[in-house]
Amino acid sequence: MEALSKPELLALLAAARQESERDWLMILVGYWHGLRVSEIIGIKGSSIRDGYLAVDRLKGSMRTNQALVEHPEPLLSERQPLIEFSRKTYPNQPLFKVSRQHFWRLMRHYGKLAGIPEHKAHPHVLKHSIAMQMIDKAGIHKTRQRLGHKSIASTGAYLIETDANVDLAVVAAVGL
């Protein structure tokens, strides 16, 4: 399962922020809340209330209310920019007025600008990235809740190690 490293995520967000606040916010919200592309573009103005995002998930996943993230790194801080952005949208209207296909093209574009390998420059990598970054530190149950999975087995897929991570662990373990 491919995920963005923290430096790759920051490079992607910086490339998007340079060109478009909307695009940066779409990517950032997708990452922080572990959203599928259809869930990102399905967010309405009314989904942002009192510093929370009401997440209406698809594929039988749970509906969740998640706090908007404030972070010391401005590229990772969504709370205030998203609240301000949502004020420009009618409550029943989509917050991000793009199609699934256009969001894919945007991810490819910003991924290329950020130097991210093409196989990682797609919207679903955002969900994989937050999951992979959370699972070790926050545990499977908190990751499950964040992603809105009803079944712990769905979240269990993020426990599987990649060959690249195992390669790094082997070298670190041997210490040569």
Side-chain angles (χ1 to χ4, degrees):
M1 189 167 307
E2 292 291 339
L4 297 174
S5 66
K6 290 176 187 177
E8 287 173 328
L9 175 67
L10 289 171
L12 178 69
L13 291 167
R17 182 84 191 251
Q18 220 170 8
E19 288 192 18
S20 168
E21 181 183 34
R22 179 204 67 189
D23 297 352
W24 165 69
L25 281 170
M26 283 192 304
I27 293 167
L28 187 58
V29 169
Y31 166 75
W32 275 129
H33 302 282
L35 303 176
R36 297 174 182 92
V37 67
S38 295
E39 295 165 345
I40 296 167
I41 65 172
I43 296 171
K44 295 190 165 101
S46 60
S47 302
I48 312 296
R49 290 283 178 256
D50 302 323
Y52 286 82
L53 171 65
V55 180
D56 291 318
R57 296 189 184 270
L58 304 173
K59 293 190 173 185
S61 294
M62 298 182 296
R63 185 177 197 280
T64 58
N65 286 300
Q66 299 179 355
L68 298 177
V69 176
E70 281 190 61
H71 196 279
E73 164 55 59
L75 281 173
L76 293 172
S77 194
E78 70 176 350
R79 184 181 167 87
Q80 201 54 43
L82 190 60
I83 289 169
E84 289 172 20
F85 191 82
S86 71
R87 287 184 182 140
K88 302 172 194 168
T89 305
Y90 290 110
N92 62 341
Q93 296 297 308
L95 193 59
F96 306 116
K97 296 174 180 119
V98 300
S99 68
R100 294 176 71 241
Q101 295 80 8
H102 187 63
F103 190 65
W104 265 86
R105 286 190 296 271
L106 291 171
M107 284 291 293
R108 290 269 189 228
H109 172 69
Y110 295 125
K112 187 174 184 177
L113 291 177
I116 293 170
E118 191 173 321
H119 70 279
K120 287 178 152 185
H122 60 85
H124 208 65
V125 78
L126 301 171
K127 182 176 183 128
H128 293 324
S129 298
I130 191 68
M132 295 299 286
Q133 291 168 12
M134 277 187 71
I135 199 105
D136 286 336
K137 291 191 169 91
I140 193 167
H141 295 291
K142 288 179 177 67
T143 304
R144 177 190 147 277
Q145 182 66 28
R146 187 62 168 192
L147 300 179
H149 291 157
K150 285 185 180 174
S151 168
I152 199 87
S154 297
T155 315
Y158 295 104
L159 293 170
I160 298 169
E161 286 293 344
T162 65
D163 289 339
N165 283 347
V166 172
D167 292 342
L168 292 172
V170 167
V171 172
V174 174
L176 297 176

